[in-house]
Amino acid sequence: DTGVSQDPRHKITKRGQNVTFRCDPISEHNRLYWYRQTLGQGPEFLTYFQNEAQLEKSRLLSDRFSAERPKGSFSTLEIQRTEQGDSAMYLCASRMPDRVLSGANVLTFGAGSRLTVL
Amino acid sequence: GENVEQHPSTLSVQEGDSAVIKCTYSDSASNYFPWYKQELGKGPQLIIDIRSNVGEKKDQRIAVTLNKTAKHFSLHITETQPEDSAVYFCLGNNNAGNMLTFGGGTRLMVEP
């Protein structure tokens, strides 16, 4: 396990289609985050999981967005009825449990999944 | 949630000069202050971090300083090189908060 993996790296879709992104975190990391990043902007928080529980959701996460982490390992982010405004880089990050004091706050990011909605 | 502001948004320096990027935060409970570097087509990568029990940390050409009273922390890069050109982000967070908030980013351009 060398890091956080995201798939696919690039996705081009037509408006109205559904898309799903997958994130495989570092195996001993129990916390998983999804961010969205548009060109020239910083990453914006979308949602956060601790193990399989989704504990925080940003108001950016409209009802067309759904994220899951069914077994507390990999996570999926689905966007239904995509719109052109959904075009962005979707970043996943993971971090260790708080009980591990050293490096507990360090977020490790994947390379991202770039979505283009035509 | 945490409000994080980062300045400047762009910074151009000559190779060999120093660069300083500043981040201000609102949550006085913040206790962990990282800086990330993002290169084109890649996710952000942690380059240095500092915890609230120290005021400065240095790692070769990179240093981070913290002023908890004024609620700001800064990234210092000395002897800049062209490969330092990237976008740099600060991140505001604390042990209890989970909606980790990024600054708006600073595009650093190091000109040969």
Side-chain angles (χ1 to χ4, degrees):
Chain A
D1 192 332
T2 57
V4 179
S5 299
Q6 292 190 246
D7 182 71
R9 291 292 312 277
H10 304 276
K11 178 71 176 179
I12 300 174
T13 190
K14 293 182 179 179
R15 188 176 55 184
Q17 298 295 306
N18 300 342
V19 297
T20 299
F21 301 115
R22 175 178 169 129
C23 172
D24 287 89
I26 294 173
S27 57
E28 61 266 28
H29 287 188
N30 70 334
R31 299 188 176 199
L32 186 147
Y33 298 77
W34 284 99
Y35 284 84
R36 181 175 70 185
Q37 186 177 28
T38 54
L39 199 63
Q41 302 297 317
E44 297 172 295
F45 172 84
L46 291 179
T47 190
Y48 152 74
F49 290 85
Q50 182 167 314
N51 300 312
E52 66 276 9
Q54 189 174 17
L55 299 185
E56 299 278 358
K57 289 170 64 174
S58 163
R59 59 179 178 273
L60 292 175
L61 214 66
S62 76
D63 56 5
R64 296 185 298 106
F65 287 68
S66 63
E68 295 182 344
R69 195 182 183 199
K71 298 181 181 179
S73 56
F74 74 91
S75 176
T76 58
L77 176 68
E78 181 183 15
I79 309 173
Q80 296 181 326
R81 304 181 303 280
T82 53
E83 302 173 356
Q84 287 182 325
D86 297 331
S87 296
M89 174 78 84
Y90 290 86
L91 292 163
C92 176
S94 67
R95 75 177 201 186
M96 292 182 191
D98 276 346
R99 65 179 180 273
V100 179
L101 296 179
S102 176
N105 298 85
V106 176
L107 277 180
T108 302
F109 280 87
S113 293
R114 181 168 295 284
L115 173 65
T116 301
V117 181
L118 302 177
Chain B
E2 175 78 280
N3 185 34
V4 179
E5 293 188 1
Q6 185 175 339
H7 298 282
S9 57
T10 60
L11 180 59
S12 182
V13 299
Q14 293 292 318
E15 182 176 359
D17 288 350
S18 296
V20 181
I21 303 169
K22 183 176 177 180
C23 189
T24 59
Y25 60 94
S26 60
D27 189 346
S28 57
S30 292
N31 55 11
Y32 174 66
F33 307 92
W35 284 96
Y36 285 78
K37 176 183 182 182
Q38 187 174 27
E39 297 175 322
L40 197 62
K42 298 182 179 179
Q45 300 294 311
L46 179 73
I47 55 170
I48 196 167
D49 57 11
I50 193 170
R51 298 183 191 276
S52 60
N53 56 342
V54 296
E56 182 174 359
K57 181 177 177 181
K58 191 172 182 179
D59 182 4
Q60 299 182 5
R61 297 186 298 107
I62 294 172
V64 54
T65 57
L66 171 64
N67 184 329
K68 287 214 77 177
T69 302
K71 291 196 276 189
H72 65 72
F73 59 110
S74 298
L75 175 68
H76 304 256
I77 307 174
T78 58
E79 300 171 35
T80 52
Q81 300 168 4
E83 52 264 38
D84 295 329
S85 296
V87 181
Y88 292 82
F89 294 99
C90 59
L91 180 65
N93 73 130
N94 57 62
N95 273 334
N98 293 307
M99 291 179 67
L100 308 180
T101 305
F102 279 87
T106 298
R107 180 171 298 279
L108 174 64
M109 294 167 284
V110 181
E111 299 176 6

